Amino acid sequence: MTLILSTLNELTDAINQARETNIPLVDYGIYHAKVGHTPPEKHTLYSLSGDIVEHYVNDFTVTAHAGITMGQLNAQLIQANQFLPINCDDDLTLGEVINHNIYGAMRVRYGSIRDQLLGLHYLDNAANDIHVGGRTVKNVAGLDVTRLMIGSMGELGLVHQATLRTYALPQQVARVDLELTSLDNLAQQITDWMLGPAYPTSIHLRRMGDTWQLEAAYFGNEKANDVQVQALKNTLPEDESIVIADERRVNMTQHLIDGMKSRQWQRKCKTLVKIVVPPREVVTLANTLAQMGVTQISGMPAHGCLLAGGASLDSEMDQKLIKLLLTIGGIRQWITPPVYDDGKTACVTPFAPDQPDWEFLKKIKKTMDPRNLFNPGRFLENEVLA
Amino acid sequence: MQQHPVINQLTQIVGDRNMVTDPNELRVYECDGFPIAKGMPLAVVFPENTDQVSAVVKALNQHELAIVPRGSGTGLAGGSVVYDQGVIICTSRMTQIHKVDLENRIAIVQSGCRNSSLSEAIACTGLRFSPDPSSQRAATIGGNVCTNAGGINTLKHGVTTNHILGLEVVLPDGEILQTRANQCYDGIGPDLPGLLCGSEGILGIVTRVWCRLVPDPKAFRTIYAVFKSNFDACKTVADVIASGILPTSMEMMDGQMIQVVENAFHFGFDTSAGALLLIEVDGVDEILDDEMNVIMDIARQNNAFDIQSCKDAKRRAELWSARKKTFGAIGRISRSYCTMDACVPRSMLPEVIERVTQIGKDHGLQINNVFHAGDGNIHPILLFNEDKPEEVQRVMQASEVILEYCVSVGGTITGEHGVGVEKLAMMHAMFNKPTLDMFLNIKKTFDPRQRFNDAKLIPSDKLKVELHQAPLANVPGGAM
């Protein structure tokens, strides 16, 4: 059974119940249900629902419940000609976006949720309402626990409300799809764009069959987009190693919908892994994955992040991948780990290679969730901390 | 007087030339940019690398001495003031730029590297390290990290934490911790660098920083708009933000500041003006004029009587130089001043600045304003004579009233300077008890013995700092 929690009282009751029964609360989200270690056998599943608490239209900030879906949130913001520039599917909750540090191609210009989150309310494991950050765009009062919660996979507290920056809705989005015969010059090409007028708002790489496609998008008015698209065209190499496959102008709503369509494969994949490497190494990573026979690859090359999926990803390939990451630097996490035909999960660690601060993070977990009530073992191994 | 036994130990670790123990020389380190709080350290140590920092911390732990990290001492909240018998570990000689990696758009620096040194080192690359506090010529990047420093460009480009990818930190037990680096933009798991940014040195001492470099904008338009009143200038700021345009910066000076700066540096400002806005947009050259025109229209609608724009690099440099020199100019008219640092929702700016002026009048104080208006980050500057304890008390009381008001309208007690010791008493106005307890628990996780820059940022049950009660002798230990 999944508890649907909306009000602060319901959340508080759920935590008090968890304390009394010693049965932890688990929220693994929609898209990230298989990320990390498996939950303890006895647990209470919950999910959050919610709405916008207040949209400070003139301040370009919004406060919303963590249970609001990103679709609901953006739909309401768009009515005020604003939006939240996170590339993610409509059914993800704001809480899930925060807990898993979700970002996408728009990060090139807008940053990630880490850059947009201004304040948080969360309940600690004594059901105290903790409020960190605020609604101003700058704030250094107290420890920045707001950012600590980002990517914490719900292990440090139950986030129930967040305040974020919003941005003006652009008049139009100009998208240019480029076909690349090879990735050899990709890193340099992206750097060249970023250093000049062709600096895109978003850059998205994907493998289509045997070819690589890069989508560069510009958000602005028609005149601005004309200038930038032309600047992009001016940078394309004469040897036709990068050519324009398609070019179109859409509104922001359509762009967000198209983005979701282009990510549909990720949910259908039997296996899906997220890998982050130094940006320069993304070409090495992409080529290695392609050589391994991985057919589905997409990601954010400007930030060294790729998602790879397909039946061919198994524990053997995972070992090769980890070996590569130990050489070039980086980290990977399984979003959907491989499962054999007999239904058994392949022997892969959820996160690898180990990072130097993970041991210390266990201490933080013990401090913030001493009774191990929140998503125990999700990220940090499933040991009894209490 | 007999020398403390730790001095010999520290000298062995860092060498004679990297120690200060002479009481006259130590006086330089008795305060930072918040002169109301002062305390004399036992010694100041200048390690040159991470291993030395670690060894120094371990040695100080053996003697159970308090440790205070310090960069260049440009902090404005008393964050690097030492308590009785404490030792300052100063990173200002850890200045190396280990690596500038243009392909990954990352620079790896020792924490004592000055902000401007990194900027100069990468000036010709087309990339820059975006945080640009007014103190950037002196401030260290480690100091920027510890205070999560802002600056003029933060409106569009973000504060320090938005530009830090990883950190190396010496923890209070002397162990060295490296947080998610590997030149990746992301790690997996809770964001430890995010927690350490702005932690004011209470969790450890930052020794190495992985800085994100971003493209340096090539084209600018700078707008200079003069108003009769603060209210009109603030209304312009609020209206520009509400229009959806995101300038690089929107800086404001009130009438008194204009006079002070003009008298000091002769930039050609109209000294009869009530307020001045400096606004800049950056981006693609061909479209900047459109954005500039929208902003100028908004200024006109709000009664700006002199509006100029420029894309000339020389004039632009002059205008920004004027802005950055404001604090120097203040020094010419008042021996002591207290720079406040609240942040409010931008839509509230007109009301807030009017209220701040009134609070100054109520307390018989001159308050000048120069601030990051686009961020809602106000910096009322309270002038006083530190030889008059009664005046200092009025400054502290007025500060408290201003901060309480800012919190009441949805603001915060500090936008970029930090809490230090200055705003400790105000933390209760911002946070409920469970939140403050949580902060303290995190502090204890890093520093169980609470000797690392203790009683800064978080009110401590161990040390009480009461700036009101006895100004100029108010830090525990009475060394002021």
Side-chain angles (χ1 to χ4, degrees):
Chain A
M1 186 186 82
T2 302
L3 298 175
I4 308 290
L5 306 172
S6 335
T7 66
L8 199 53
N9 281 342
E10 287 169 356
L11 297 170
T12 304
D13 288 347
I15 291 172
N16 288 334
Q17 178 83 6
R19 282 170 66 87
E20 280 166 24
T21 59
N22 247 344
I23 298 174
L25 289 166
V26 168
D27 173 15
Y28 272 24
I30 290 175
Y31 183 61
H32 296 88
K34 292 175 184 166
V35 170
H37 302 275
T38 49
E41 205 171 309
K42 266 187 142 182
H43 64 263
T44 305
L45 263 184
Y46 75 95
S47 73
L48 301 175
S49 66
D51 207 338
I52 285 181
V53 177
E54 185 134 20
H55 182 191
Y56 305 98
V57 178
N58 289 337
D59 285 320
F60 276 72
T61 57
V62 64
T63 301
H65 295 127
I68 193 171
T69 66
M70 295 303 283
Q72 289 172 310
L73 182 53
N74 260 330
Q76 292 185 59
L77 293 177
I78 283 170
Q79 286 175 17
N81 274 321
Q82 296 181 17
F83 80 121
L84 194 62
I86 300 285
N87 307 75
C88 69
D89 292 352
D90 273 355
D91 55 353
L92 259 66
T93 63
L94 177 58
E96 188 168 352
V97 168
I98 293 166
N99 284 335
H100 291 275
N101 187 17
I102 302 301
Y103 59 88
M106 287 188 262
R107 182 174 183 176
V108 177
R109 271 303 175 96
Y110 292 104
S112 64
I113 190 79
R114 187 183 193 278
D115 304 296
Q116 291 151 8
L117 193 60
L118 301 173
L120 276 182
H121 279 268
Y122 73 88
L123 294 175
D124 69 8
N125 81 16
N128 292 309
D129 194 10
I130 307 288
H131 183 201
V132 287
R135 55 173 276 226
T136 56
V137 294
K138 280 162 84 176
N139 188 356
V140 291
L143 290 171
D144 193 350
V145 176
T146 309
R147 281 188 178 74
L148 185 69
M149 301 301 273
I150 296 169
S152 65
M153 302 186 200
E155 280 214 58
L156 303 181
L158 200 162
V159 174
H160 67 89
Q161 190 173 301
T163 300
L164 304 109
R165 284 171 182 266
T166 61
Y167 292 82
L169 202 63
Q171 275 179 24
Q172 61 165 225
V173 177
R175 284 205 309 249
V176 183
D177 285 336
L178 300 158
E179 238 171 53
L180 292 77
T181 52
S182 99
L183 294 179
D184 291 349
N185 297 321
L186 179 64
Q188 188 58 49
Q189 186 72 72
I190 289 173
T191 302
D192 289 348
W193 288 338
M194 291 175 81
L195 293 179
Y199 188 177
T201 311
S202 94
I203 302 174
H204 186 234
L205 177 73
R206 57 180 172 256
R207 188 165 166 79
M208 308 285 283
D210 286 336
T211 61
W212 292 97
Q213 266 200 8
L214 194 72
E215 178 195 275
Y218 298 92
F219 296 7
N221 59 29
E222 191 176 353
K223 182 180 170 187
N225 287 344
D226 286 346
V227 170
Q228 293 207 272
V229 168
Q230 188 55 49
L232 175 86
K233 289 176 180 173
N234 294 343
T235 66
L236 298 181
E238 288 177 5
D239 64 4
E240 299 195 335
S241 55
I242 304 177
V243 294
I244 294 174
D246 191 21
E247 188 184 336
R248 66 182 65 186
R249 309 277 168 119
V250 295
N251 64 29
M252 194 65 215
T253 306
Q254 188 60 47
H255 183 67
L256 293 173
I257 291 168
D258 292 346
M260 278 190 286
K261 281 183 189 163
S262 76
R263 287 191 296 272
Q264 276 175 357
W265 68 272
Q266 295 171 12
R267 294 209 184 188
K268 291 176 187 162
C269 263
K270 283 174 80 175
T271 58
L272 185 68
V273 64
K274 177 184 170 188
I275 311 144
V276 186
V277 294
R280 177 185 54 212
E281 304 295 352
V282 80
V283 174
T284 307
L285 174 65
N287 283 332
T288 305
L289 289 166
Q291 282 161 16
M292 285 178 177
V294 179
T295 50
Q296 313 252 41
I297 305 169
S298 79
M300 289 69 78
H303 295 95
C305 177
L306 291 182
L307 286 153
S312 59
L313 276 166
D314 58 14
S315 55
E316 196 181 321
M317 283 194 170
D318 189 52
Q319 288 305 312
K320 287 182 191 165
L321 189 56
I322 293 170
K323 205 172 161 190
L324 175 72
L325 295 178
L326 288 169
T327 312
I328 64 174
I331 191 165
R332 70 101 182 94
Q333 76 172 54
W334 285 99
I335 292 174
T336 314
V339 177
Y340 293 130
D341 289 342
D342 60 5
K344 288 182 182 163
T345 304
C347 184
V348 292
T349 54
F351 315 103
D354 282 359
Q355 298 295 297
D357 57 358
W358 285 358
E359 276 306 309
F360 196 84
L361 286 171
K362 285 184 185 174
K363 289 188 186 177
I364 303 257
K365 164 75 173 170
K366 196 169 180 177
T367 296
M368 295 181 71
D369 183 21
R371 306 249 331 238
N372 211 8
L373 294 182
F374 301 120
N375 279 4
R378 181 86 198 260
F379 163 59
L380 304 162
E381 280 177 57
N382 197 5
E383 55 189 285
V384 178
L385 293 167
Chain B
M1 199 173 91
Q2 200 178 359
Q3 198 178 50
H4 194 290
V6 79
I7 302 294
N8 206 14
Q9 242 178 306
L10 297 176
T11 307
Q12 282 178 13
I13 296 166
V14 298
D16 252 346
R17 66 189 183 89
N18 287 328
M19 288 284 295
V20 172
T21 53
D22 180 291
N24 291 324
E25 288 182 59
L26 286 174
R27 200 153 285 283
V28 174
Y29 302 93
E30 69 179 356
C31 72
D32 55 19
F34 180 64
I36 290 176
K38 290 178 181 169
M40 189 67 84
L42 172 69
V44 182
V45 192
F46 296 87
E48 292 179 340
N49 57 53
T50 305
D51 288 340
Q52 285 187 356
V53 174
S54 168
V56 166
V57 169
K58 285 176 180 170
L60 293 170
N61 282 341
Q62 283 171 14
H63 295 272
E64 301 191 351
L65 286 165
I67 298 169
V68 175
R70 177 180 165 121
S72 295
T74 57
L76 293 163
S80 54
V81 176
V82 75
Y83 297 132
D84 200 21
Q85 288 293 293
V87 171
I88 290 177
I89 300 177
C90 188
T91 59
S92 63
R93 293 184 193 169
M94 296 174 61
T95 57
Q96 280 184 42
I97 298 173
H98 290 302
K99 189 175 181 182
V100 175
D101 179 345
L102 298 179
E103 286 181 284
N104 286 316
R105 299 181 294 282
I106 285 174
I108 306 168
V109 302
Q110 277 190 307
S111 58
C113 173
R114 284 181 294 113
N115 179 301
S116 60
S117 299
L118 177 59
S119 300
E120 285 157 16
I122 59 174
C124 56
T125 64
L127 297 171
R128 68 170 177 180
F129 180 55
S130 188
D132 63 337
S134 297
S135 57
Q136 72 184 134
R137 294 209 68 76
T140 64
I141 290 176
N144 294 166
V145 169
C146 286
T147 55
N148 192 13
I152 287 169
N153 285 324
T154 60
L155 173 55
K156 182 172 180 181
H157 299 291
V159 293
T160 301
T161 193
N162 305 113
H163 299 277
I164 298 303
L165 298 173
L167 295 171
E168 178 189 78
V169 184
V170 173
L171 297 170
D173 63 2
E175 293 304 308
I176 299 165
L177 173 71
Q178 187 188 312
T179 69
R180 55 171 68 169
N182 274 336
Q183 302 176 36
C184 285
Y185 276 70
D186 269 297
I188 287 173
D191 188 346
L192 207 45
L195 176 70
L196 288 161
C197 273
S199 63
E200 300 190 19
I202 70 164
L203 305 180
I205 181 162
V206 174
T207 49
R208 206 150 46 129
V209 185
W210 279 254
C211 304
R212 186 166 76 103
L213 304 180
V214 295
D216 200 5
K218 304 284 185 300
F220 306 88
R221 297 292 183 276
T222 308
I223 300 154
Y224 160 93
V226 183
F227 301 82
K228 282 187 181 148
S229 73
N230 281 336
F231 187 89
D232 287 343
C234 289
K235 181 77 171 35
T236 300
V237 172
D239 289 352
V240 170
I241 293 294
S243 77
I245 292 176
L246 190 58
T248 318
S249 41
M250 280 203 279
E251 298 288 305
M252 183 174 149
M253 282 186 223
D254 68 13
Q256 287 169 322
M257 275 312 304
I258 295 168
Q259 286 176 28
V260 170
V261 171
E262 184 56 27
N263 291 340
F265 301 114
H266 313 295
F267 286 108
F269 294 153
D270 180 347
T271 52
S272 69
L276 179 154
L277 279 180
L278 269 181
I279 305 175
E280 187 157 279
V281 286
D282 68 28
V284 178
D285 195 36
E286 290 85 341
I287 52 177
L288 288 181
D289 285 338
D290 292 347
E291 285 192 353
M292 185 179 73
N293 289 333
V294 172
I295 292 170
M296 289 167 76
D297 281 346
I298 292 172
R300 273 186 211 102
Q301 285 158 20
N302 285 297
N303 311 315
F305 63 85
D306 180 11
I307 306 176
Q308 298 170 32
S309 65
C310 78
K311 54 180 175 180
D312 167 61
K314 186 165 171 263
R315 179 61 177 155
R316 174 175 174 256
E318 277 174 10
L319 289 169
W320 287 113
S321 165
R323 167 63 184 88
K324 291 204 171 185
K325 283 182 172 171
T326 47
F327 286 96
I330 282 279
R332 294 177 179 225
I333 59 162
S334 179
R335 212 180 113 205
S336 299
Y337 57 90
C338 172
T339 308
M340 296 189 61
D341 169 47
C343 198
V344 296
R346 281 89 57 106
S347 60
M348 297 300 297
L349 264 182
E351 290 82 354
V352 168
I353 291 300
E354 291 220 320
R355 182 81 186 108
V356 167
T357 305
Q358 187 57 47
I359 291 168
K361 284 179 186 164
D362 294 347
H363 288 79
L365 294 168
Q366 182 179 342
I367 297 183
N368 292 356
N369 287 290
V370 52
F371 60 101
H372 311 304
D375 298 313
N377 187 186
I378 62 170
H379 289 322
I381 302 169
L382 286 63
L383 310 184
F384 66 98
N385 180 345
E386 72 174 17
D387 294 332
K388 296 181 177 172
E390 181 273 335
E391 202 167 303
V392 178
Q393 282 203 1
R394 272 190 283 130
V395 166
M396 298 310 295
Q397 283 159 1
S399 301
E400 194 170 312
V401 176
I402 290 171
L403 292 178
E404 277 172 354
Y405 171 71
C406 290
V407 172
S408 76
V409 298
T412 173
I413 57 172
T414 173
E416 60 180 5
H417 293 173
V419 174
V421 294
E422 182 200 6
K423 301 182 194 91
L424 274 179
M426 294 303 299
M427 288 289 277
H428 297 283
M430 276 291 292
F431 301 105
N432 62 14
K433 188 173 181 307
T435 303
L436 289 172
D437 287 347
M438 179 270 296
F439 288 155
L440 195 56
N441 287 337
I442 290 178
K443 157 78 173 162
K444 288 176 182 171
T445 307
F446 282 79
D447 182 18
R449 287 177 289 191
Q450 295 186 73
R451 280 204 293 266
F452 225 86
N453 219 16
D454 203 26
K456 313 278 175 63
L457 180 66
I458 307 168
S460 166
D461 47 5
K462 207 171 126 197
L463 291 164
K464 297 278 181 221
V465 180
E466 297 194 8
L467 295 172
H468 281 231
Q469 300 306 316
L472 306 180
N474 44 22
V475 173
M480 297 196 47

